[in-house]
Amino acid sequence: MRFNHVANRLDAAHFELVVVMLRECLGFVELRRTERAIWLRQPGANVDLQFSRSATTARDEDKLRSQIAFLSDTPRADLQALADWLGARGLEAMVGAYSDREFYLDAPSAFVDFVIEAMRPELADYDIPA
């Protein structure tokens, strides 16, 4: 087997707004779309991101442990820019911290079972031979 994609859920009411944010702010491209889901990829990545529309009203209380993670030299600032982008479009979003090198963005009414994480690149330096 070969790793292909990761799937998460977005509130149906905010589905398109989050997809637009990923395209406009992070350069994701749409690969495929159905009535209930979308598959996206960031150029240069080899793993896809799938979002399914969800009507779940009870959010995952432990969703801070489920992330879509990005590497960044300025993780807090980059996530704050996304929070500001969402806020300017009427969706409440906030940035929190796991440590001084790992931060997360939550948009509670949109993200059902995950947050977006940004961390310093050295945290992903696993020293694994290619």
Side-chain angles (χ1 to χ4, degrees):
M1 290 192 298
R2 199 169 50 122
F3 194 34
N4 179 259
H5 74 275
V6 175
N8 292 96
R9 294 175 292 151
L10 288 170
D11 187 282
H14 304 291
F15 186 90
E16 291 301 330
L17 180 63
V18 174
V19 168
V20 169
M21 178 195 72
L22 290 169
R23 284 196 321 243
E24 288 186 8
C25 299
L26 297 174
F28 277 79
V29 294
E30 184 175 322
L31 302 173
R32 182 166 63 111
R33 183 185 284 252
T34 66
E35 196 172 305
R36 64 175 180 81
I38 189 168
W39 288 257
L40 303 161
R41 182 180 295 167
Q42 194 175 41
N46 61 0
V47 175
D48 301 334
L49 182 57
Q50 175 190 343
F51 286 115
S52 295
R53 295 176 194 268
S54 176
T56 300
T57 56
R59 300 299 193 226
D60 185 341
E61 293 177 19
D62 194 32
K63 74 178 183 175
L64 292 182
R65 301 290 168 241
S66 180
Q67 310 98 7
I68 297 170
F70 294 88
L71 299 176
S72 169
D73 290 327
T74 56
R76 181 185 284 278
D78 289 345
L79 290 177
Q80 189 59 56
L82 295 178
D84 293 345
W85 190 95
L86 290 169
R89 288 153 182 82
L91 182 60
E92 179 187 356
M94 69 278 307
V95 175
Y98 296 120
S99 73
D100 63 345
R101 300 181 299 168
E102 304 164 286
F103 302 89
Y104 64 88
L105 168 72
D106 191 11
S109 61
F111 302 167
V112 175
D113 56 353
F114 71 97
V115 294
I116 294 177
E117 177 183 33
M119 60 186 193
R120 301 267 313 153
E122 65 267 17
L123 292 171
D125 185 7
Y126 304 121
D127 197 27
I128 298 173

